[in-house]
Amino acid sequence: MAQCQWSVPLGVLTVFVAYASISYGVLQRVNTEVPLPYMDEVFHIPQAQHYCRGQFDVWDPKLTTPPGLYLISMVPAYILSPNLCSAEFLRTTNWILSLLLFWTIYSLIKQLRPGQSTTATAVTVLSLSLFPVSFFLHHIYYTDTASLLLVLISYSLSLSHRHLAAGIVGFLSLWLRQTNVIWIAFIGASAALRQIQQRAHIVRPSDSLFASIIQICKWAVRFDRGLLEIALLLTPYALVAVCFAVFVHVNKGIVLGDRSNHEAVLHIPQIFYFFSYVVGASAPTILPLASPKWFVRQCTAKRNLVLGLCLGIAMAICIQRYTVEHPFLLSDNRHYPFYVWKNIFRRHWIIRYALIPLYVYAAAAINRCLCKDTTSIWRLALALCTAAVLIPSPLLEFRYFTVPYFFVRLHISSRSTTRAVLLEALWFSAINAITIWVFINRPFTWISEPGQLQRFMW
């Protein structure tokens, strides 16, 4: 991949200023209307405040993720004053990380699309920065922004062939979320695949999965110098995996704190939800490349029809045997997934199976949008890593889809027109305007907690 050149065009800088200004306005409005910690902030903010005061021996057992976010927030607090660790200050530190995320996305677009025009680059960066779930969480104190930032920085460093730095940042990302170990493994595997492509000139995007595997096996059995290079390249990523294995051994598990509500299960339909989620979120860029009409034409081919039927049957079995309804999903009406589950999946048992054609179409559409610029092995690795992150989780939570969504979306931008990406940015802006307005202006109360305002959020 080409190295990222950091001469920022005026158009991109203008977009950044506009984005930062609007986002800061949202932050100020949230701080004004919701001054007290809300939802998971009631755990994160007090814990960060303990760290700001140097009380590292205090830990809330309800927290399940490592203390990386609190350590990040502690740095400016120590420089300025430990007394600054208010909810507003902590949210602001998270918002600053979102500005760094904007430039990380810009760096990745420049690396992945070196020939793209300035206008297309600016619009693409803006669209990805406005992705609704992550944009919403930039303005409250959650771990998602910092976690996504470090994973994407690691990927950018890997594309620049700075694998030691990528491994170090990857290790730091584990301090935000344990499942990031899977994404660091994916980044390492992607780097190894790129090295094989560059050295042996094999595994092209047009090659089938079987042909690609055969090519790699034939190259590997030669035991030439390239294998040693790949082993050295993978060392930083392997060390991250070793560190994580040590953590799991010492901690006697992956989850910190409240393990009773975060037990691993086999929730295979999660991957089906993810497929449809990606297509629904980025419909303006995906539908022009893989429309339902295209899908119907593909299904008329006998081979594709048989494959689709087999895939549909397999999905039906997975839905029947491995659908999980987490208690949190059914008991908390403040999250949008509650309404998705209540109004769609629980309306009638047949709906879960009636959605199978949509799942098949979504999987086919994503594959089509990626197939021009990525290899079949890369797509398989992404699918396996996405499954490894999502399937063990019993809870349907849109936040968990964010990192794999970004990996998919970053790699389909070159096939989308600037007009389509601009429509996507407008689509995201509309969703953000609605969800943030509802969060701020439409609070409600529970009978069990009178006088305490509840709010809708992702």
Side-chain angles (χ1 to χ4, degrees):
M1 293 291 177
Q3 298 286 332
C4 177
Q5 301 297 321
W6 269 100
S7 54
V8 181
L10 180 61
V12 176
L13 193 58
T14 302
V15 166
F16 170 73
V17 172
Y19 167 81
S21 300
I22 293 171
S23 182
Y24 184 72
V26 172
L27 175 67
Q28 291 298 93
R29 187 70 190 278
V30 170
N31 284 329
T32 301
E33 300 295 333
V34 193
L36 298 177
Y38 181 69
M39 197 70 78
D40 287 359
E41 284 186 324
V42 300
F43 306 113
H44 292 306
I45 288 178
Q47 186 62 55
Q49 290 170 339
H50 285 304
Y51 273 51
C52 286
R53 292 190 291 266
Q55 298 171 334
F56 301 108
D57 58 334
V58 178
W59 183 260
D60 188 335
K62 288 292 184 180
L63 290 167
T64 59
T65 51
L69 181 62
Y70 322 131
L71 294 171
I72 293 172
S73 302
M74 188 183 71
V75 174
Y78 259 56
I79 294 172
L80 301 173
S81 170
N83 297 324
L84 284 177
C85 279
S86 62
E88 180 178 357
F89 174 84
L90 293 171
R91 289 170 178 169
T92 302
T93 62
N94 201 46
W95 174 77
I96 292 171
L97 295 178
S98 74
L99 303 185
L100 298 178
L101 180 61
F102 179 97
W103 292 113
T104 302
I105 295 170
Y106 171 71
S107 173
L108 283 164
I109 295 299
K110 292 293 287 182
Q111 290 170 292
L112 294 169
R113 311 286 176 243
Q116 188 167 265
S117 69
T118 298
T119 301
T121 297
V123 173
T124 302
V125 175
L126 176 63
S127 182
L128 283 166
S129 299
L130 289 171
F131 178 62
V133 176
S134 57
F135 183 81
F136 184 96
L137 296 171
H138 295 337
H139 306 97
I140 56 178
Y141 195 65
Y142 272 45
T143 61
D144 299 72
T145 299
S147 174
L148 176 63
L149 172 64
L150 291 181
V151 170
L152 294 187
I153 288 176
S154 179
Y155 190 40
S156 179
L157 290 169
S158 177
L159 291 173
S160 299
H161 307 289
R162 290 177 282 181
H163 300 293
L164 177 59
I168 292 171
V169 175
F171 171 74
L172 295 177
S173 76
L174 302 188
W175 287 75
L176 277 302
R177 188 160 291 170
Q178 297 93 315
T179 52
N180 283 344
V181 69
I182 295 172
W183 298 119
I184 302 310
F186 171 72
I187 291 169
S190 298
L193 180 60
R194 289 194 304 274
Q195 183 74 5
I196 292 173
Q197 289 177 291
Q198 293 168 5
R199 184 174 183 84
H201 304 290
I202 57 175
V203 190
R204 297 162 298 183
S206 58
D207 293 334
S208 68
L209 178 62
F210 179 76
S212 298
I213 293 173
I214 294 297
Q215 291 171 17
I216 291 176
C217 290
K218 287 182 177 179
W219 174 77
V221 296
R222 298 173 190 167
F223 294 102
D224 67 8
R225 186 178 174 183
L227 286 176
L228 178 60
E229 292 178 357
I230 290 176
L232 292 174
L233 177 153
L234 288 174
T235 299
Y237 308 101
L239 289 175
V240 174
V242 170
C243 291
F244 181 75
V246 171
F247 160 77
V248 172
H249 175 73
V250 173
N251 189 55
K252 295 182 172 55
I254 295 176
V255 177
L256 290 168
D258 184 16
R259 300 187 183 187
S260 60
N261 291 309
H262 296 83
E263 296 179 354
V265 297
L266 198 60
H267 192 181
I268 296 177
Q270 284 270 43
I271 200 72
F272 310 153
Y273 309 149
F274 172 74
F275 291 151
S276 52
Y277 172 88
V278 171
V279 173
S282 286
T285 55
I286 290 178
L287 294 184
L289 302 175
S291 66
K293 186 177 180 181
W294 160 83
F295 179 68
V296 171
R297 287 200 306 269
Q298 294 298 309
C299 289
T300 58
K302 184 177 180 180
R303 177 183 174 184
N304 292 339
L305 182 61
V306 172
L307 179 62
L309 287 173
C310 292
L311 187 58
I313 292 170
M315 285 182 171
I317 294 172
C318 290
I319 290 169
Q320 193 272 326
R321 294 185 178 181
Y322 301 110
T323 296
V324 178
E325 287 187 341
H326 194 280
F328 286 178
L329 177 62
L330 303 174
S331 63
D332 194 338
N333 66 343
R334 296 171 294 181
H335 288 291
Y336 292 125
F338 169 89
Y339 298 96
V340 172
W341 198 262
K342 172 177 172 288
N343 296 321
I344 297 178
F345 293 98
R346 276 205 146 200
R347 186 165 292 277
H348 194 282
W349 66 268
I350 197 66
I351 292 178
R352 299 184 185 185
Y353 301 95
L355 290 173
I356 288 176
L358 173 63
Y359 299 150
V360 176
Y361 161 68
I366 293 170
N367 184 68
R368 177 174 171 80
C369 290
L370 292 174
C371 66
K372 182 178 180 180
D373 298 326
T374 64
T375 65
S376 54
I377 289 184
W378 187 92
R379 297 194 296 276
L380 175 63
L382 178 60
L384 292 175
C385 289
T386 302
V389 169
L390 298 181
I391 288 177
S393 174
L395 183 62
L396 174 59
E397 182 78 76
F398 293 149
R399 294 188 298 129
Y400 300 163
F401 296 165
T402 299
V403 175
Y405 167 83
F406 268 82
F407 276 114
V408 171
R409 183 62 188 82
L410 282 165
H411 285 270
I412 65 175
S413 58
S414 71
R415 301 196 63 199
S416 304
T417 64
T418 302
R419 180 173 177 270
V421 179
L422 181 59
L423 286 174
E424 181 186 57
L426 293 173
W427 165 240
F428 287 165
S429 298
I431 295 173
N432 287 329
I434 294 170
T435 53
I436 292 170
W437 185 88
V438 168
F439 177 74
I440 292 173
N441 296 293
R442 284 293 180 266
F444 62 99
T445 57
W446 286 341
I447 297 176
S448 59
E449 298 180 12
Q452 184 170 341
L453 295 180
Q454 311 297 336
R455 298 176 186 275
F456 298 105
M457 62 180 290
W458 290 107

